[in-house]
Amino acid sequence: MQFPSPRHNARILSFGAYRPERVVTNAELATVVETSDEWIRTRVGIETRYFSRPDETVVDMAVAAGQDALTRSGLTAADIDLVIVASCTLPTPIPGAAAPVAHRLGIDSPGAYDVNAACAGFCYGLAQASSAIQVNDARNVLVIGVEKFTDWVDPSDRTTYIIFGDGAGAAVVTRGDDQTIGPAVWGSSGDRADALYIPDRNSMLAMDGPAVFRWATTDIRDEVRRICERSGVTLEDIDVFVPHQANMRIIDAMLRSLKFRDDAVIARDIARSGNTSAASIPLALASLSDTGQAKAGDLVLVIGFGAGLAFAGQLFVMP
Ligand SMILES: CC(C)(COP(=O)(O)OP(=O)(O)OC[C@H]1O[C@@H](n2cnc3c(N)ncnc32)[C@H](O)[C@@H]1OP(=O)(O)O)[C@@H](O)C(=O)NCCC(=O)NCCS
């Protein structure tokens, strides 16, 4: 028995974004917990984040970002074969978000599933979208990263409340002449699962901030080099670096030992959007594309990392 083994190339076609209407400043947070604008700016580099409305769901935000990516792609709902939603903040484990999101977007009976790899979720989703096109005959795949952290962060816990925000980002992946999405590099350290976790269904997010900081600035920094090695490029070849927008100090610490070109663009959407976990990388990419900082043809390196602890990253060519 020999099953059909289609071979196509995959590329990213468009990005989409959704940021909730409500912009929350550090000064506003300082009215809720004992903190200050100065502490937050210097320790995590966040200036604002977006909080969704209480009645606004993960699915609502995913639909908005997915529709934006679809509109920008020039495709219609009928062209999408597979919807992948990366999230770790759904209110309940089932149903996943992907099938309801696809239904709301008018996509008729696509493959649909969720990925929960927390802040690394979008990069895992992108790897799977690429594979679905390369070896599983999909024509177009919608990948969405979405989080509603306001449901899972305790407003009295100043170590987490100041960091996380809500939002959604998306990408449409399609067939191309060339394969312009590189192989994913991924891994995990389950022995440190309790560095960032929700202990049970009645609890909120708990974080060992210093442990996460150390992991991100040592192990994850080394994985950035491995992503380049895997595709036979060097840091000098990278035009745009989009690490998970966890925290400005983590980005700055990475950059002290990763020598990108002086003119390489570094994503710093964290200042505007806070840490939106699975949404942070596509939100940053949509913004870099909209502002013209990232241009078509640029070589982009993305790496997501967070709860698990788990990470994933890859290279791709900017659409
Ligand atoms: C959370 C983080 C900013 C804390 O910074 P830190 O320098 O490690 O600070 P510490 O936890 O040692 O706390 C230092 C002091 O600041 C206080 N503090 C913590 N949060 C505060 C806040 N929001 N405002 C004011 N003070 C705060 C602490 O209570 C502590 O006070 P103490 O010395 O009186 O006990 C830092 O560990 C970090 O950035 N970690 C990574 C977190 C992250 O990115 N998570 C997402 C990963 S996906």
Side-chain angles (χ1 to χ4, degrees), residues 33-36 39-40 43-44 119 157-164 196 205 207-216 244-250 275 277 305-307:
V33 281
E34 202 183 323
T35 189
S36 67
W39 195 96
I40 299 172
R43 296 297 181 107
V44 292
C119 309
D157 177 357
R158 63 181 181 174
T159 62
T160 52
Y161 189 53
I162 59 144
I163 289 180
F164 294 93
L196 198 58
L205 181 72
M207 179 177 77
D208 178 347
V212 177
F213 192 93
R214 272 194 305 278
W215 176 69
H244 165 47
Q245 303 291 289
N247 180 322
M248 196 72 86
R249 256 175 63 211
I250 289 179
N275 181 335
S277 186
F305 52 88

Side-chain angles (χ1 to χ4, degrees), residues 18 55-67 85 87 89-92 95-105 114 144 146-148 151 167-168:
Y18 174 73
D55 66 337
E56 196 169 33
T57 66
V58 167
V59 169
D60 292 336
M61 292 191 281
V63 167
Q67 183 58 63
V85 173
S87 184
T89 50
L90 260 70
T92 56
V101 166
H103 173 70
R104 293 254 308 266
L105 287 170
D114 289 14
I144 303 171
V146 54
E147 303 290 4
K148 180 167 173 148
D151 275 355

